[in-house]
Amino acid sequence: MKLSDFSVRIAGLAGDGSLLAGEILAFTLKRRGLYVVSVKDFPSNIRGLPTNLTIRANLKRIYSWGDHIDSLVAFEPKAIKIHPRDLKKGGVIIVDEEIDLKDIHLNDIYIYSVPLKKRARELFKREIFKNVIALGFLGYIYSIDPDEFKNTIVFYLKAKDEKIVESNIRALTEGYVLAEKIVKERFQIERGTDSGRYFLSGNEAVALGAIAAGCRFFAAYPITPSTEVFEFLSKHLPKYGGVTVQGEDEIASINMAIGASFAGIRSMTATSGPGMALKVEALSLASMAEVPLVIYHAQRAGPSTGIPTKTSQEDINHILFAGHGDVSRIVLVPSTPEESFEFTFKAFNLAEKYQIPVIVLSEQAISQNQQTIDDIPYDENYTWERGKILTDEMVLSYMTNGKPYERYEITEDGISLRGFPGQKGIIVRYNSNEKTPEGFIDEECEYRNEMVEKRIRKFENIINELPFPELYGREEAKNVLIGIGSSLGPMREAVDRLNEEKLDFSYLRIRSLFPLHEDYIYSLTFNKNVFVCELNSFSQLRNYLSRIWGKKENVFSLRKYIGLPFKPSEIVREIKKIIKGEG
Amino acid sequence: MEKILDFEIKNIKIYEGKKSTWCPGCGDFGVLTALKQALFELGISPFDTVIVSGIGCSSKLPDYINANAFHTIHGRLLAVATGVKLANQKLNVIVTGGDGDGYGIGGNHLIHAARRNINIKYIVMNNEIYALTKGQVSPTSPYGFVRGTTPYGSKDRPIEPCLLSLSAGATFVARGFSGDIKSLKEYIKAALKHKGFSHIDVLSPCVTYNEEYSYDYFRENIELLDGPYSSREEAISSIINTWKKGKIPVGIFYIEESNHYELSLFGSEDYSIVEEFKKQRELKKEEILELIFDKK
Ligand SMILES: Cc1ncc(C[n+]2csc(CCOP(=O)(O)OP(=O)(O)O)c2C)c(N)n1
Ligand code: SF4
């Protein structure tokens, strides 16, 4: 039987090597020409707690880990208790023989109890190789040519010791040998063509977008799930003449980024919930002093320290409303690695053009999971738009015409010319207090109204530059799902399934939360049933959108807060319940 | 304010800023005068200078001097200045604030700026009080100080900021007195010439909220140490011994020549990310993809 939609889960304890085995498998499938989505489910702990990785592959582009798995590899007893409920009929479990199967009764499932750890000890004196032995076993069941795996292993580990590569290949072969002896039924996985696709996480895409956008200063404080951005940039920014700094805390980091931007370079900071909470005073400073700044925020489950390694959309309220005073900001919400790249790039242009902070609001499920993407969305249209900046040539006119340079000149579009310290001939004054056009503290509040209105005027045109909501399905569909971020894949699959049952659904994915495309959202949802999907318990997105709708009838809230993205089946099930309840 | 058309610094008036709103007699005037004189005597151009401040009476100083400025938020001035300096090492970055600003809310940043040894000059106008919020105790106020928020006397012991920055790794540490502008100017000049994190704590009386610590009080109680000492330990013990005698140590306590942060990061004192960025163009797609070759 040929499988065109294939999922595996590898479950063990942290430190068991499940993630590495999973990555090798994912990459092998990706190179087989399949679109792969991987979802890591791991604890905030280095060793000893349950960890698993689900890999789903399909000939078509997919965005979610779906509902079911075809097979489960289990290295520890708990895994065999929790995960089989996700297995499809006719699915496969590969379990270490040292795990007791006494109480496990599963119908229509092939269970293979394999001496994974034992053989690893015998062959290598190290149990860790069990993960690659299991991969070999799996490879046999699914008729994957061992050479395909070998290529990935060589490619993945080539920086490491030759010996390590060799041992891994031996372990893989051992898996095939063990499988040949006991496997009863084999399956086949489809093959497509891989014309140079990439397997990228949201965090990697954000870092790449920042480099492409000319970000040359990055300061942050490590926090899951954003740290990979920091690591990626630390490795690469120096090659472009830039620098990264690990601040003493989040407060220092964002203020450093503000200082660097004031001095004239594109700068960014990255964080997650608790870190963003600390950065808020400086967010307000960036808005008030009109400093271009990009903040990348990958949400995790809260409140407080919450679950550092699990996804959520719990910081919607925080990001929309954080800051004392009327704080200007732009909030972009990507769903995929492509958008993580694109929106980060765009964020730098918007930040400089409008001289305000721009937040790229992602979440753990996007930032730390990898997906196959066709390409990085980058072409000649991706230019550095620096907005109104004072060139050295322009300085001369200020020096000769007798008019002093005004950092906060009152202008029609609300945007003043940005000069930089070190430009000989002008003095640049930034101020967190309300100020005069020259940037002095406005102690008499002479300019207060003009300054507030100047800052508001920036918003007259911004909306036209922001990513428009994505509609999937018919514009006239009677029912609309609305969501952001990681809900993309599950919503899309749910809409397809609901439409197969003639239920007439579409989805609307919001990609810029602030400012919001209010008119469009209003008109699209007018006279329809609306289902807002979100990963929080307070219905933050629904309540925010209700500002547009007022007391709209037939708005339903689908919420999940376990720390994992939606499954398509969950959305379908909930909606059917609601519809039935109505009918 | 005088319009400057040539870059030559012929007259100290070129540093003239807005008229100040400090109370007549405020100690911060002395700091402002000393700073202007130091810049003038060293011929440092206002265009190449950035003054970063926090929030407080003292932090309003950038308004009163003609130089690039960033009046930031309470306590975060060193962090902002760090970003400025790393972006453009060629700028002469001076940070000015108060004791509440720098030793209270911003205390952590002082430790870290000192340990990084970033080439920033930090002048703290220490009036041992929170003045702008109308006279509450600060981290340098003495034990038992009675003010609005401490009606029964402060139960917090004061910190010694110079000992703090010395132990954190600052490579230039001094204390001046704004009643002695001549010496203070010399300390600031020495700090401006020093390549590394320079911390000058300045005894700067608040004539409105802190009568106890008046010009006369300081004149009577300060003791000039014969620094700079050749070791950190010696500087620290001299400061401690002076306090033990009931005197307030002033002078340049310590100077150490060692690589500063930017030099370690960039390998050169000339390098500026801002200038480098100006020369750059959008990357070609292949250049971006090269960074993720192992993801293909
Ligand atoms: C985050 C924050 N907390 C509190 C304040 C209020 N505040 C303004 S100035 C100040 C203290 C100023 O004292 P100091 O730094 O010693 O400066 P001085 O006014 O004495 O020169 C405080 C607490 C503020 N602006 N921001
Ligand atoms: S209140 Fe004190 S510190 Fe503030 S200006 Fe007046 S004298 Fe100076």
Side-chain angles (χ1 to χ4, degrees):
Chain A
M1 191 173 58
K2 265 209 162 154
L3 301 170
S4 57
D5 189 10
F6 170 69
S7 302
V8 183
R9 182 168 304 155
I10 304 177
L13 299 176
D16 255 351
S18 318
L19 298 185
L20 178 69
E23 262 191 60
I24 293 173
L25 174 63
F27 215 69
T28 306
L29 293 172
K30 180 246 161 210
R31 288 189 150 190
R32 213 181 153 92
L34 296 164
Y35 286 92
V36 179
V37 170
S38 70
V39 178
K40 274 186 221 155
D41 182 7
F42 61 110
S44 178
N45 168 290
I46 308 303
R47 271 181 186 280
L49 289 180
T51 292
N52 71 77
L53 180 78
T54 306
I55 289 149
R56 181 181 176 201
N58 196 306
L59 272 178
K60 287 189 306 214
R61 174 72 196 262
I62 40 169
Y63 301 91
S64 97
W65 58 306
D67 289 311
H68 302 291
I69 52 175
D70 291 275
S71 52
L72 170 71
V73 178
F75 295 122
E76 60 102 23
K78 249 195 197 154
I80 203 84
K81 298 223 163 66
I82 319 163
H83 302 301
R85 60 172 170 240
D86 289 337
L87 273 170
K88 275 181 202 155
K89 265 195 185 146
V92 176
I93 296 179
I94 300 165
V95 58
D96 192 273
E97 67 169 11
E98 288 165 26
I99 294 174
D100 188 0
L101 293 175
K102 198 164 64 242
D103 296 331
I104 309 293
H105 306 287
L106 292 163
N107 297 329
D108 306 320
I109 300 285
Y110 298 93
I111 302 187
Y112 297 109
S113 178
V114 189
L116 301 169
K117 291 186 188 168
K118 184 166 155 245
R119 288 301 290 150
R121 284 193 299 266
E122 284 168 3
L123 288 171
F124 308 101
K125 301 201 169 50
R126 289 187 57 205
E127 220 168 65
I128 186 79
F129 285 97
K130 66 180 181 299
N131 61 348
V132 180
I133 298 180
L135 213 52
F137 199 97
L138 196 76
Y140 179 83
I141 297 179
Y142 290 100
S143 322
I144 300 171
D145 185 339
D147 282 341
E148 291 180 59
F149 271 130
K150 284 179 195 164
N151 287 341
T152 326
I153 290 174
V154 171
F155 180 74
Y156 243 74
L157 302 174
K158 72 173 162 253
K160 301 224 171 117
D161 203 328
E162 283 268 317
K163 274 201 196 114
I164 296 178
V165 174
E166 213 179 282
S167 306
N168 275 291
I169 290 177
R170 269 217 296 158
L172 185 82
T173 313
E174 175 66 15
Y176 278 87
V177 172
L178 290 173
E180 245 183 312
K181 289 184 201 149
I182 52 174
V183 167
K184 292 184 209 92
E185 184 160 1
R186 297 176 75 184
F187 307 88
Q188 299 241 312
I189 306 170
E190 285 281 7
R191 184 186 292 280
T193 42
D194 180 353
S195 49
R197 293 178 191 134
Y198 291 88
F199 191 54
L200 211 59
S201 73
N203 277 343
E204 289 162 334
V206 164
L208 212 57
I211 293 174
C215 171
R216 296 296 175 259
F217 185 89
F218 177 89
Y221 190 79
I223 185 166
T224 308
S226 72
T227 308
E228 290 87 13
V229 173
F230 196 172
E231 289 173 344
F232 194 101
L233 291 177
S234 297
K235 186 167 169 200
H236 296 297
L237 269 195
K239 296 183 204 162
Y240 300 95
V243 74
T244 61
V245 186
Q246 180 166 326
E248 50 271 30
D249 52 32
E250 279 85 354
I251 301 175
S253 309
I254 186 170
N255 282 293
M256 285 177 189
I258 286 173
S261 180
F262 156 82
I265 43 177
R266 291 190 150 193
S267 73
M268 173 164 93
T269 185
T271 194
S272 185
M276 191 60 210
L278 291 181
K279 288 178 197 281
V280 173
E281 191 198 13
L283 171 75
S284 193
L285 167 66
S287 164
M288 181 51 153
E290 307 194 35
V291 181
L293 178 69
V294 177
I295 302 170
Y296 172 63
H297 175 126
Q299 297 169 94
R300 58 192 233 179
S304 195
T305 311
I307 318 175
T309 56
K310 306 261 169 172
T311 206
S312 89
Q313 297 168 346
E314 275 176 273
D315 297 343
I316 297 172
N317 284 346
H318 186 215
I319 287 305
L320 289 172
F321 305 115
H324 55 290
D326 285 338
V327 175
S328 342
R329 80 201 76 203
I330 292 173
V331 182
L332 308 177
V333 196
S335 284
T336 60
E338 290 99 323
E339 284 183 347
S340 298
F341 176 91
E342 184 189 335
F343 293 2
T344 305
F345 191 100
K346 202 169 187 50
F348 283 93
N349 282 348
L350 291 167
E352 284 208 309
K353 263 175 96 170
Y354 295 97
Q355 302 173 12
I356 61 173
V358 182
I359 298 155
V360 178
L361 182 65
S362 186
E363 61 185 275
Q364 189 276 334
I366 302 162
S367 66
Q368 292 194 304
N369 292 327
Q370 296 178 304
Q371 291 185 13
T372 308
I373 62 166
D374 281 316
D375 203 356
I376 293 290
Y378 188 85
D379 56 34
E380 61 282 355
N381 295 324
Y382 279 63
T383 52
W384 297 341
E385 296 168 42
R386 304 210 56 198
K388 289 193 193 171
I389 62 170
L390 184 71
T391 59
D392 290 341
E393 298 75 59
M394 287 157 78
V395 169
L396 211 65
S397 74
Y398 275 97
M399 294 168 59
T400 45
N401 73 11
K403 187 173 167 269
Y405 163 73
E406 293 179 337
R407 166 64 190 104
Y408 299 103
E409 186 187 359
I410 307 287
T411 56
E412 237 170 79
D413 60 2
I415 301 159
S416 323
L417 203 52
R418 200 155 61 101
F420 303 107
Q423 285 186 301
K424 303 199 188 346
I426 53 143
I427 293 295
V428 183
R429 287 181 181 279
Y430 275 55
N431 211 319
S432 91
N433 272 71
E434 196 55 278
K435 52 196 80 76
T436 68
E438 272 179 282
F440 292 109
I441 301 171
D442 182 11
E443 311 233 25
E444 281 151 41
C445 300
E446 206 183 325
Y447 290 93
R448 169 66 179 178
N449 278 358
E450 281 179 83
M451 282 297 164
V452 170
E453 284 153 17
K454 164 182 141 57
R455 292 193 290 271
I456 291 179
R457 280 202 296 280
K458 292 182 184 182
F459 280 88
E460 281 165 15
N461 295 317
I462 287 180
I463 189 76
N464 303 323
E465 296 203 43
L466 304 188
F468 202 72
E470 180 197 50
L471 177 72
Y472 178 76
R474 291 181 339 121
E475 201 169 301
E476 312 77 41
K478 282 209 197 71
N479 306 287
V480 196
L481 291 182
I482 296 188
I484 57 169
S486 69
S487 302
L488 159 63
M491 286 199 303
R492 186 187 280 246
E493 288 182 34
V495 163
D496 287 344
R497 288 184 209 175
L498 290 162
N499 284 337
E500 269 166 32
E501 299 186 30
K502 302 264 174 321
L503 284 170
D504 197 18
F505 268 84
S506 67
Y507 86 50
L508 191 66
R509 184 165 61 89
I510 294 171
R511 305 193 301 162
S512 78
L513 266 182
F514 195 91
L516 192 64
H517 291 86
E518 298 192 7
D519 297 345
Y520 177 72
I521 297 170
Y522 182 83
S523 67
L524 192 105
T525 52
F526 186 73
N527 249 338
K528 294 181 181 180
N529 296 323
V530 177
F531 301 82
V532 182
C533 309
E534 52 190 315
L535 300 174
N536 63 63
S537 67
F538 273 22
S539 302
Q540 297 185 17
L541 183 61
R542 200 244 354 238
N543 293 343
Y544 176 57
L545 295 176
S546 292
R547 299 182 325 165
I548 319 176
W549 297 322
K551 264 202 181 326
K552 181 171 163 46
E553 300 276 305
N554 299 339
V555 179
F556 305 97
S557 182
L558 308 188
R559 293 163 298 161
K560 181 173 178 176
Y561 28 82
I562 186 82
L564 292 168
F566 280 105
K567 286 184 187 179
S569 60
E570 289 170 335
I571 298 180
V572 171
R573 194 183 335 118
E574 278 306 305
I575 284 179
K576 282 188 177 167
K577 245 200 259 170
I578 293 167
I579 293 178
K580 263 197 207 134
E582 269 186 348
Chain B
M1 210 182 313
E2 197 181 333
K3 184 101 194 67
I4 318 153
L5 283 175
D6 57 314
F7 301 153
E8 246 180 282
I9 296 145
K10 295 189 196 114
N11 191 323
I12 193 166
K13 278 209 167 121
I14 83 162
Y15 299 100
E16 205 71 46
K18 246 179 111 166
K19 198 173 160 298
S20 102
T21 56
W22 284 324
C23 311
C26 175
D28 298 348
F29 282 107
V31 178
L32 179 64
T33 307
L35 177 60
K36 283 188 201 160
Q37 286 178 0
L39 289 168
F40 176 66
E41 286 175 24
L42 292 178
I44 296 174
S45 148
F47 301 126
D48 297 327
T49 302
V50 179
I51 305 190
V52 181
S53 72
I55 297 297
C57 291
S58 41
S59 282
K60 292 184 177 179
L61 181 140
D63 265 20
Y64 313 145
I65 183 168
N66 189 44
N68 299 293
F70 199 160
H71 181 237
T72 68
I73 46 179
H74 198 33
R76 312 302 165 197
L77 62 190
L78 279 173
V80 174
T82 299
V84 178
K85 189 70 182 176
L86 292 180
N88 188 355
Q89 229 195 130
K90 293 185 177 174
L91 294 170
N92 174 34
V93 180
I94 300 167
V95 181
T96 60
D99 45 310
D101 189 73
Y103 306 148
I105 190 166
N108 194 30
H109 305 308
L110 170 61
I111 296 171
H112 293 278
R115 102 179 143 91
R116 285 189 189 106
N117 193 27
I118 185 156
N119 189 8
I120 280 175
K121 318 299 152 198
Y122 185 30
I123 305 171
V124 181
M125 287 157 262
N126 181 358
N127 52 16
E128 312 195 7
I129 203 89
Y130 280 35
L132 193 67
T133 44
K134 300 198 184 309
Q136 301 78 24
V137 293
S138 103
T140 49
S141 305
Y143 184 84
F145 220 42
V146 175
R147 284 297 183 273
T149 53
T150 51
Y152 308 111
S154 165
K155 304 293 180 251
D156 295 355
R157 286 167 220 268
I159 58 158
E160 196 339 331
C162 293
L163 287 179
L164 187 67
S165 63
L166 264 171
S167 52
T171 53
F172 182 107
V173 180
R175 175 173 291 117
F177 168 43
S178 57
D180 177 2
I181 294 175
K182 234 174 107 194
S183 306
L184 182 57
K185 177 194 75 185
E186 293 307 323
Y187 302 167
I188 297 176
K189 276 169 76 177
L192 286 168
K193 282 190 254 174
H194 176 69
K195 288 179 178 162
F197 185 70
S198 311
H199 173 208
I200 308 179
D201 181 68
V202 185
L203 304 166
S204 182
C206 170
V207 295
T208 306
Y209 295 109
N210 202 351
E211 320 170 327
E212 288 96 325
Y213 291 94
S214 61
Y215 289 92
D216 285 345
Y217 172 84
F218 287 123
R219 267 191 202 103
E220 278 159 32
N221 287 288
I222 55 180
E223 182 170 310
L224 179 66
L225 306 194
D226 56 354
Y229 298 99
S230 51
S231 76
R232 217 172 265 279
E233 292 76 5
E234 216 182 321
I236 290 173
S237 66
S238 300
I239 293 172
I240 293 174
N241 288 335
T242 313
W243 280 112
K244 276 188 184 158
K245 285 192 294 183
K247 292 285 175 194
I248 307 169
V250 295
I252 298 180
F253 304 138
Y254 186 63
I255 303 179
E256 177 190 313
E257 304 298 338
S258 65
N259 277 359
H260 55 79
Y261 190 53
E262 310 89 283
L263 192 61
S264 318
L265 273 177
F266 305 125
S268 139
E269 294 194 358
D270 269 347
Y271 181 76
S272 147
I273 304 179
V274 171
E275 282 177 14
E276 178 59 29
F277 182 59
K278 266 194 197 161
K279 290 183 238 152
Q280 293 185 6
R281 291 280 157 274
E282 284 84 356
L283 299 173
K284 293 207 182 73
K285 185 162 182 175
E286 307 84 75
E287 295 174 287
I288 299 169
L289 294 180
E290 238 168 60
L291 298 172
I292 46 164
F293 74 93
D294 58 343
K295 298 279 160 191
K296 191 162 182 165

